[in-house]
Amino acid sequence: MRKIAIALLLGSVGWAVAGQAGEKGVANPANWPIVNNPVAANPVIEARIKTLLSQMSIEQKVGQVIQADIGSVTPEDAYRYHLGSVLNGGNSAPGGKQWAPAPEWLASADEFYAASMRPNGTLPRIPITWGSDAVHGHNNVTGATLFPHNIGLGAMRNPELMRKIGEVTAIEMRVTGLDWTFAPTLAVVRDDRWGRTYESYSENPAIVASYAGPLVEGLQGKVGSKDWLKGARIVATAKHFVGDGGTNGGKDQGDNTSSEAELRDIQAAGYGPAIRAGIQSVMASYNSWHGEKMHGNKSLLTDVLRGRMNFGGFVVGDWNGHGQVTGCKPTSCAASLNAGLDMFMAPDSWKDLYVNTLAQAKDGSISMARLDEAVARILRVKLRAGLFESGRPSSRPLAGDYSKIGSPEHRAVARQAVRESLVLLKNEGAALPLKAGQKILIAGDGANSYMKQSGGWTLSWQGTGLPDSEFPGATTIGQALRDSGGAATTISKDGSYAAKPDVAVVVFGEDPYAEFQGDVPDLMFRDKSDNLTLLKKYKAEGIKTVAIFLSGRPMWVNSHINASNAFVAAWLPGSEGGGVADVLFGKQDFKGKLPFSWPKMATQYVLNVGDKGYDPLFAYGYGLSYKKPGKVGALSENSGLAAGAELPAGTWFERGKTGQNLDFFMNVGTSAFKLQPSVGTNADSLRIFAVDRNRQEDSRRFVWSGSSEGLLALTAGAPIDLSRETNGAVAIEIDYKVDKASGAAVKLVSVGANLTPVGGADIGATLKGAEGKGWQTLSLPLSCFAKAGLDMSQLKAPLGISTAGPLDMTISRIALGTSAVGMVTCS
C-alpha cells in the first residue's frame, strides 16, 4: 500500500508536470495518464447503433439524453417524450410513497419498460434504463441488506470483500427490476467538514484506487465474461468526476482550487482503475475546478476523460447539476451537453428541459453530430447490457426472487464487513472483550436506532424519520449485544439501572444526514443527547465504560474518550449490528485501521497523512486490537473552539443558545433591539424570558402583548446563504408550545438584504390549535420564501415571527431539517 500511495501522490513516470490550472479551470490532457480500456468496440453493436440513429427522430434522440425522477414522471410521460432513463431520488419510491417493498419496485420497473417499448409509429423501440443510488446496498428498498457506508469499508483494507459487496448489491437490485446503480463514489476527501465524507473510502487515494476495480467488477461482472452487465450484474457508475472531495472549506458543491497534479493524483485516483475494470457510466460532479463547473468543463469531461483516459461509456449528470453551469438553468443548458455530458439528470425539470433542448438541437445550439454522439454512447451501454433482448424487468434473471432481498447469505457478507470495519481507539482496564456472565448495561441514543447506525441514503435521502418497521431482518447494535450477553444484559433507554452493572456500553453518535446537510463548521461532536454525562456518571460509580461511536467522519470526542475505558469507532455499520457484538465479545479480534486521520483539535478538519505539520490524535492507519493493545492515557479537553460552539450544525437555537452568529432581535420600524431575557422593548409589546424544558433555561418564552405589531427576528451578524438548502427541500423546524394565542395572524417571515420582511406562511390558526397542548413541532419549507421572491443567498434575518395580536409562545429549538413534521402551507 505504501508504494502505491507514493506513486499516486507523486504521479507516474512520463506524465508532464502539472501545476496550477493555466487557463481558468482548463485541464491539459497531456498531463493525464493514458488508460487501457478493456472493452473493445463490437462491430455488431456499432452497426446497430448506426441503424438506430438513422431511424430515430430528433424528438426521440432528445428524449434519450434526459433522465427524470419517478416522483415527477409517469410511464405515459416516458412514452410520450421518449425518455431514455428514469431514476429514483433519495426521497422517491414507487406509487408516490416515501419507501416501498420490493414487489412494488418490480411492478413499477415493468410499467416504465412497457411504456418505452410500446409501438410509436415507425420509430424504433429503445428500452428505458432505471438508475438508483444503491450506495451501501440496495438502500432504497425496505428489507434490503445495508452495508457499512464507504468510510467504514475503507477501514477494512479488504478489496476482495468489496467485490462480494458489489455482487450482493447487484443481485438485490436485479430482484426489483433495476439495472443501474449510481455507485461507486470515488471521492478522496481532504476536508472532513464535508457532509459526504462518509461516502469516501479514505483520505488516502491508494485505498480508493484499490477498491474501485473490485467493486466495479462485483457490480458489473468482468469484461469478457458472459454475465458482464447481464444476468445477476448491473451497470455501475463512477462518481463524481472530478474533485468533489477537495473543495475549499469542505463545502458541498463548492470550488476545488487544487493544482492539476493534485486533481489527477489525488481526486481522480480511482477513475483509472474503474475504467480498466470496464465502468460503463461516470457521473459529473457538482463542484467547480478553479471556478469552472464540472457539468460544463469540456477539458475534463471530453478531452481528459474520453480523449486521454479512454472512457467508453456515457456521462450522466447529477441532480439538476447542469443548472449550475454559467448561463444555464435546470430547464435549459446546451453548454453542458456540448461540454461532454451525455445524459441530463433532470429529476423535476425534465419536461421544460426536453422542450428547450429540442429547440436548441433544431436551431444548432447543439449540433446534430454532438446529439448523435451522446445518444450513441447511451445506446452502446444499453446494447452491451442486453436491454434490447432481455424483455420486461420481471422476466429477467433473479427478478421477483424476494428471498434474496436481505437473505441470510447476503447479511453474512455485510456482517463480515461490519466486523472488519471497527477501529479500536482505546481499551484500558480490560474493558473489552465483553464476557458472558457479566452484568452488562446497554445505553445511549444509538443503542436501538436503525437510523443512527445506517446513516443517510437509507430509505430516504437524509435517512431520517424512518419507523423500525421499515428495517425487517435488521439488527440494532443494542439487540445484538443483548443477544450475545444473555440474561444478565439489559438495554436502558434512559441509562438508568436497578442493579449495578459490571460494564456499561454506550452507543451514540451523529444523527443521519446526506450531502450539504452534513456540512459542518468544524469537527466537534455536538452531543444532542448528552451521552457524555452518562459515561461520566458510570465511570464515577466504578462501572467500566465502553463507547461505541457512530459517525460519518472522524470527530473531536476527547471528553468522551476520557470518560470511557474502551472507545470504538464503528462508523455507520448498516443493518447488521451483530457484527459489532461479534467483535466486542471477542469472537473476532479488531482488524480495522483508521481510513482518515483522527483530530487532536476540533479545528483540524484538513488533516491528511503526508501534510506539512501533520499532528493528529490518532494517525492514519491507527487501530488497536486484543493482540496488540496500546495505552492512550488522559487527553486534552481543549477543543480549540470558542465557548458556545457546541450547538449542532444547522441549529439556530437550542439549549438556550443561538448558533451560527445569530441573535434574537425585535424590529421596530427601521430599528432593531437585541432581546435579552426579562428585558422588554417598545412599551413591552414583546418580552423574552429564559425558561426550562429539559434543562435549566434551555428555552425562551416570547410574550407579545398585542399592543402593537411585534417582529421577533433571528438576525445574523453577516448575511447567510441558504440557496443550496432551499434547492434541497430543507425546512425550518421549530419546537414550541403555546400557552395563549388569540387566533390573529402570526406570520413567519424572512428578511433579505433590503431589510424588508418577506412572508412565508401564516401560522396563526396552527398556534391557536396548539394552545395548551404542550410541545409541538412545525416545519416551514425554505422554498416558501424563495417563491415569494426572496433572494435566499443574502439573508439578514433567516427567520422572523410577526404578529399584532396577543401571543404567549415558548420555543426550545429552531433548526434546519427535513423531517416534514408539522409542515405548514406556504402563504
Side-chain angles (χ1 to χ4, degrees):
M1 273 304 183
R2 187 168 297 169
K3 292 180 180 178
I4 296 174
I6 292 172
L8 285 165
L9 290 172
L10 297 183
S12 295
V13 175
W15 295 5
V17 177
Q20 294 291 339
E23 188 180 344
K24 180 183 177 184
V26 177
N28 179 0
N31 291 331
W32 292 71
I34 297 173
V35 178
N36 178 28
N37 189 329
V39 186
N42 183 321
V44 175
I45 288 178
E46 296 308 309
R48 194 165 178 188
I49 291 171
K50 185 175 181 180
T51 299
L52 285 169
L53 288 173
S54 70
Q55 296 170 338
M56 294 170 70
S57 67
I58 189 172
E59 290 82 5
Q60 192 176 24
K61 291 176 180 179
V62 169
Q64 282 298 300
V65 303
I66 292 178
Q67 181 183 59
D69 182 78
I70 62 169
S72 301
V73 71
T74 66
E76 186 60 31
D77 290 329
Y79 169 77
R80 179 180 176 186
Y81 293 92
H82 318 284
L83 297 183
S85 179
V86 293
L87 80 150
N88 59 282
N91 290 330
S92 298
K97 298 179 179 180
Q98 288 181 287
W99 43 80
E104 295 182 27
W105 289 87
L106 183 57
S108 187
D110 269 356
E111 290 172 358
F112 278 103
Y113 172 83
S116 70
M117 300 303 286
R118 200 167 82 210
N120 190 339
T122 61
L123 293 175
R125 295 297 79 210
I126 300 173
I128 201 166
T129 183
W130 185 324
S132 185
D133 282 286
V135 295
H136 65 128
H138 195 10
N139 44 263
N140 295 283
V141 175
T142 298
T145 306
L146 300 176
F147 293 95
H149 270 294
N150 289 355
I151 191 170
L153 300 179
M156 301 187 312
R157 311 295 207 273
N158 190 340
E160 282 309 304
L161 187 53
M162 296 301 299
R163 187 185 307 276
K164 292 181 181 178
I165 289 170
E167 292 170 354
V168 169
T169 301
I171 289 171
E172 296 201 9
M173 287 191 72
R174 282 296 192 184
V175 170
T176 62
L178 277 59
D179 49 35
W180 176 19
T181 178
F182 301 139
T185 299
L186 300 179
V188 180
V189 177
R190 309 297 281 178
D191 188 323
D192 300 344
R193 291 174 292 183
W194 190 35
R196 305 189 79 158
T197 296
Y198 66 81
E199 296 186 55
S200 173
Y201 299 113
S202 177
E203 71 189 40
N204 184 350
I207 297 295
V208 177
S210 72
Y211 275 12
L215 182 55
V216 169
E217 289 184 345
L219 290 163
Q220 295 191 160
K222 287 193 174 184
V223 176
S225 64
K226 290 183 179 180
D227 69 345
W228 185 59
L229 307 177
K230 305 178 182 73
R233 310 295 185 165
I234 57 175
V235 172
T237 306
K239 68 179 187 183
H240 308 84
F241 190 83
V242 63
D244 50 348
T247 60
N248 297 342
K251 186 176 182 180
D252 190 49
Q253 305 179 24
D255 192 22
N256 184 321
T257 56
S258 62
S259 70
E260 189 169 354
E262 291 166 335
L263 189 73
R264 177 195 66 202
D265 298 344
I266 297 174
Q267 299 298 317
Y271 289 91
I275 292 169
R276 285 191 287 272
I279 191 77
Q280 290 299 288
S281 175
V282 167
M283 184 179 290
S285 185
Y286 275 123
N287 67 274
S288 307
W289 183 52
H290 290 276
E292 185 74 17
K293 280 290 181 181
M294 280 305 308
H295 277 70
N297 194 315
K298 183 177 182 295
S299 71
L300 284 162
L301 291 184
T302 297
D303 302 340
V304 168
L305 182 61
R306 293 192 179 284
R308 186 72 172 179
M309 299 181 74
N310 293 312
F311 169 60
F314 67 88
V315 177
V316 64
D318 207 340
W319 189 278
N320 279 331
H322 56 276
Q324 297 182 9
V325 175
T326 301
C328 290
K329 53 186 178 180
T331 56
S332 179
C333 193
S336 195
L337 199 73
N338 289 335
L341 192 78
D342 299 311
M343 182 181 286
F344 293 104
M345 185 185 289
D348 53 358
S349 59
W350 66 268
K351 188 176 291 186
D352 287 341
L353 179 65
Y354 174 90
V355 172
N356 290 323
T357 304
L358 179 59
Q360 290 157 354
K362 288 181 175 179
D363 70 17
S365 300
I366 298 170
S367 70
M368 188 55 63
R370 174 64 194 111
L371 180 60
D372 281 353
E373 182 181 52
V375 175
R377 290 168 177 170
I378 294 166
L379 293 177
R380 188 171 291 113
V381 174
K382 289 184 176 183
L383 287 162
R384 287 171 175 170
L387 294 186
F388 283 80
E389 295 77 36
S390 58
R392 68 186 188 280
S394 63
S395 70
R396 300 171 190 171
L398 300 174
D401 187 354
Y402 303 120
S403 66
K404 286 186 165 53
I405 298 289
S407 69
E409 295 80 8
H410 291 177
R411 292 188 184 279
V413 176
R415 188 165 177 162
Q416 180 186 353
V418 174
R419 289 195 297 263
E420 295 190 20
S421 71
L422 303 177
V423 179
L424 182 61
L425 299 183
K426 178 181 179 180
N427 187 25
E428 297 175 4
L432 290 175
L434 302 174
K435 301 172 182 62
Q438 282 182 310
K439 293 191 291 257
I440 301 170
L441 176 70
I442 303 165
D445 61 344
N448 250 358
S449 174
Y450 295 111
M451 288 188 293
K452 285 185 82 82
Q453 70 185 51
S454 299
W457 292 110
T458 301
L459 294 177
S460 68
W461 178 36
Q462 296 297 312
T464 56
L466 306 172
D468 288 352
S469 60
E470 295 303 314
F471 293 87
T475 308
T476 66
I477 295 170
Q479 291 168 344
L481 291 171
R482 182 179 58 194
D483 292 344
S484 297
T489 303
T490 60
I491 298 177
S492 173
K493 188 174 182 179
D494 62 3
S496 63
Y497 57 83
K500 182 179 177 181
D502 300 313
V503 182
V505 180
V506 182
V507 188
F508 64 99
E510 291 187 288
D511 287 333
Y513 55 81
E515 300 193 38
F516 59 80
Q517 291 198 40
D519 286 2
V520 292
D522 51 67
L523 295 186
M524 171 175 273
F525 171 59
R526 291 162 170 86
D527 193 350
K528 292 182 180 180
S529 299
D530 206 5
N531 296 279
L532 179 59
T533 297
L534 274 183
L535 288 167
K536 288 181 175 180
K537 173 179 177 291
Y538 297 144
K539 197 164 188 181
E541 293 168 350
I543 301 168
K544 288 184 179 179
T545 54
V546 176
I548 308 298
F549 186 52
L550 304 171
S551 73
R553 62 188 124 216
M555 305 197 79
W556 189 84
V557 284
N558 286 20
S559 299
H560 296 77
I561 295 174
N562 282 340
S564 307
N565 295 101
F567 195 97
V568 178
W571 315 112
L572 301 170
S575 59
E576 306 311 301
V580 177
D582 291 343
V583 178
L584 262 63
F585 275 91
K587 295 178 182 177
Q588 177 177 307
D589 203 347
F590 284 90
K591 294 180 66 176
K593 303 297 181 183
L594 285 179
F596 285 83
S597 305
W598 201 276
K600 183 180 292 185
M601 308 283 281
T603 52
Q604 288 179 299
Y605 26 76
V606 180
L607 181 67
N608 301 295
V609 63
D611 286 352
K612 184 178 180 180
Y614 181 68
D615 184 27
L617 178 62
F618 301 117
Y620 166 85
Y622 173 91
L624 304 176
S625 67
Y626 297 137
K627 291 181 179 179
K628 295 183 179 180
K631 179 75 173 177
V632 173
L635 304 176
S636 167
E637 297 194 8
N638 174 20
S639 69
L641 299 176
E646 69 277 6
L647 282 182
T651 299
W652 295 350
F653 172 72
E654 191 175 35
R655 303 180 193 173
K657 300 176 182 178
T658 53
Q660 295 191 312
N661 200 23
L662 294 163
D663 275 305
F664 287 115
F665 281 77
M666 177 179 174
N667 286 41
V668 180
T670 58
S671 300
F673 303 90
K674 185 174 180 178
L675 287 174
Q676 301 289 352
S678 302
V679 177
T681 59
N682 194 30
D684 292 341
S685 62
L686 173 59
R687 294 181 66 90
I688 180 173
F689 303 91
V691 296
D692 303 346
R693 180 182 180 184
N694 299 316
R695 299 181 179 88
Q696 184 176 357
E697 297 189 355
D698 64 350
S699 304
R700 294 294 180 266
R701 177 186 173 199
F702 301 97
V703 181
W704 284 261
S705 66
S707 60
S708 62
E709 181 86 14
L711 171 61
L712 168 67
L714 194 56
T715 304
I720 294 177
D721 181 0
L722 293 180
S723 54
R724 290 182 310 154
E725 289 80 355
T726 302
N727 293 334
V730 176
I732 299 172
E733 297 177 354
I734 304 174
D735 292 348
Y736 71 99
K737 73 180 182 75
V738 178
D739 291 325
K740 180 182 177 183
S742 65
V746 180
K747 298 176 183 178
L748 293 182
V749 302
S750 190
V751 180
N754 64 1
L755 302 182
T756 301
V758 174
D762 181 355
I763 60 170
T766 299
L767 298 186
K768 182 63 178 176
E771 187 176 31
K773 294 183 179 178
W775 288 100
Q776 312 280 326
T777 299
L778 67 79
S779 302
L780 176 70
L782 289 169
S783 59
C784 289
F785 299 120
K787 290 174 182 176
L790 186 63
D791 179 359
M792 300 301 289
S793 67
Q794 293 284 325
L795 299 182
K796 180 61 178 173
L799 178 65
I801 304 174
S802 177
T803 184
L807 175 64
D808 188 340
M809 176 185 188
T810 302
I811 296 175
S812 64
R813 183 183 72 101
I814 304 172
L816 297 177
T818 58
S819 69
V821 176
M823 191 67 75
V824 298
T825 305
C826 301
S827 297

